[in-house]
Structure formats: structure tokens, C-alpha cells
Amino acid sequence: SLAALAAVAGFGLAAPAFADTFADYSATDSSSNIKWTDAAGTGTLTAFPAGGAEIYFSFLLPSLSAFKNLQADFTITGVSTNPATGTSFLTEGGIGGTFNFTYDGPNKVLDGIHLNTGDSLLSGTFANAALTGPNGGQSGAVLGDANSLGPITYANSKFITYDPTGNKSIGIEMTSIINPLHIAADGQIGSFKAVSTGSFSSGILGTGGGGTPEPATWALMLIGVGGIGAMARRQSKAALAT
């Protein structure tokens, strides 16, 4: 599991209590959908094929419960020039890049939200993530955590507004690694392909499906409640006067 890999690699992945695991993705079949390429001292993480891997994307928040197993294209570009460390368990850190999940199903409306072909379901950036896994193994992970590794950002969308101050983490779990994990001649983890799944965590300010209101929304609600209270008091005074 991601937690076990993180523990063995020597860094934490668990987000604090105020962060929600708000989305995940799964593979559509047993074909490789992610690729690590080591060339001339530079490791590059990309989706496979590079133009976009077909996956199933799901929002996990109750207010977005209708948005499950959506057809989507996954793209990612992460680059590292760091050497790998470890013997029985390998880690290559310093991976920074971007990712995006784009809806590619038919146009439809879910819980009052228009979901259109080409909508970005989730996109963001990450820095200083780590590729890690057992030496010679066929499983591993790419782990990012804003508290312990490096900054992560998510772009707000029609679906979710993210808390810019809360912790964020990403975890991409890889199985069925073709060309088991190893250190190449240039000192980096060698090239491979794998089947990936992943999960994403963040503090959430609001959702398109009616989640926690944003601060401005709270303010408007409080003004409205205050107005209702004032009206009720005026009516009560008028009744007493009568």
C-alpha cells in the first residue's frame, strides 16, 4: 500500500485530519498507463501513451457522490535529476511537474452540474515528490506531500475550491512494473512502464455539489440570517405594542 511504501521509504504521506482524500483514479485494464524514462541523468515521469492514458476518475466527497468512475484522460510530466538512494529499497526524490485529468465522456448533467467533454476534473503541480519501491520489485509509488516533501497546488474548478493553506498530498501507486525497479548506470532509477492508480488529498473550501461554503458565501448567509432575525424582532415588538 501507499502507506507501507511511505513508511519503508522513511517519509510520511498521511495528511492531517482537516485534509480530505477527495479524489482517486483507477486503471481501465491491465495495460501500462504510466512510464518512467531514464536518459542521460534525467528521469522523466509521463502517462503512457504520452498523449494521455485512459483511466476512471472519481470524486470521493459526499457532495460529489454522483461523479464516480468518469471516463478521463490522464497526463503527467515529472522530471528529476537526482540520483537514486538505497539498496534493498530505492528512492529517487526531487521530482517536479504537472498533471491533469480531463473528462472525455459524453456531455451530461450530474446533481445540477454540467459535465462537458474536455472539462478539467483535476489539475495541479507538485515539487520534490519521490519515486520509491523495492529494488528488483514490480511495485512502487510516486509520493508527494506538501508538509514533508514539497509544495503541491490544485487548480480550483467548477467542481472543487481548495484550501490554499491546508496540507495536500498525492500518491500514485504502480504495479505490474515492466523491467523491475533497479539503479541504472547513471545512478538513477532505470526506465520502466507500469499500471498506476492514484489518490489526492487536500483541505476543501467548497464543492460544486453543495459542499462547505466559501468564506464569502458564509458572510452572505450570515447577513441573510441577521436580516431574518431583525425582521422577526420588529414583528414581535409590533405584536406587543398592539
Side-chain angles (χ1 to χ4, degrees):
S1 70
L2 289 173
L5 286 168
V8 176
F11 48 82
L13 181 64
F18 56 80
D20 293 303
T21 301
F22 66 88
D24 66 16
Y25 78 91
S26 59
T28 58
D29 55 35
S30 59
S31 301
S32 298
N33 61 14
I34 203 165
K35 180 180 181 180
W36 175 262
T37 304
D38 168 41
T42 299
T44 305
L45 182 71
T46 56
F48 183 76
E54 287 288 331
I55 54 88
Y56 293 127
F57 181 92
S58 298
F59 285 115
L60 305 180
L61 301 174
S63 56
L64 294 173
S65 59
F67 294 78
K68 294 286 181 67
N69 297 321
L70 302 175
Q71 296 172 234
D73 283 330
F74 169 50
T75 57
I76 187 169
T77 301
V79 178
S80 169
T81 56
N82 287 10
T85 60
T87 52
S88 59
F89 207 90
L90 306 180
T91 298
E92 182 168 334
I95 306 171
T98 64
F99 62 89
N100 186 48
F101 294 88
T102 304
Y103 177 65
D104 68 357
N107 294 350
K108 54 186 172 182
V109 179
L110 295 174
D111 281 354
I113 301 174
H114 289 265
L115 181 61
N116 300 318
T117 306
D119 277 349
S120 177
L121 300 169
L122 173 65
S123 63
T125 66
F126 58 95
N128 204 35
L131 167 61
T132 186
N135 193 0
Q138 292 182 285
S139 63
V142 175
L143 307 175
D145 186 274
N147 274 353
S148 57
L149 295 175
I152 295 170
T153 63
Y154 298 127
N156 293 330
S157 69
K158 69 170 72 174
F159 308 103
I160 294 183
T161 302
Y162 301 96
D163 181 356
T165 63
N167 188 38
K168 300 173 179 63
S169 63
I170 62 174
I172 297 175
E173 190 166 6
M174 299 175 293
T175 58
S176 303
I177 290 179
I178 300 172
N179 196 16
L181 294 181
H182 64 285
I183 297 181
D186 62 359
Q188 291 189 298
I189 292 179
S191 302
F192 64 85
K193 296 176 185 176
V195 179
S196 74
T197 59
S199 61
F200 303 85
S201 299
S202 177
I204 305 298
L205 290 180
T207 69
T212 304
E214 298 179 49
T217 305
W218 274 120
L220 290 173
M221 290 172 64
L222 289 171
I223 290 170
V225 170
I228 292 170
M231 185 181 295
R233 286 192 296 272
R234 284 196 298 270
Q235 291 176 341
S236 177
K237 289 179 180 178
L240 288 172
T242 301

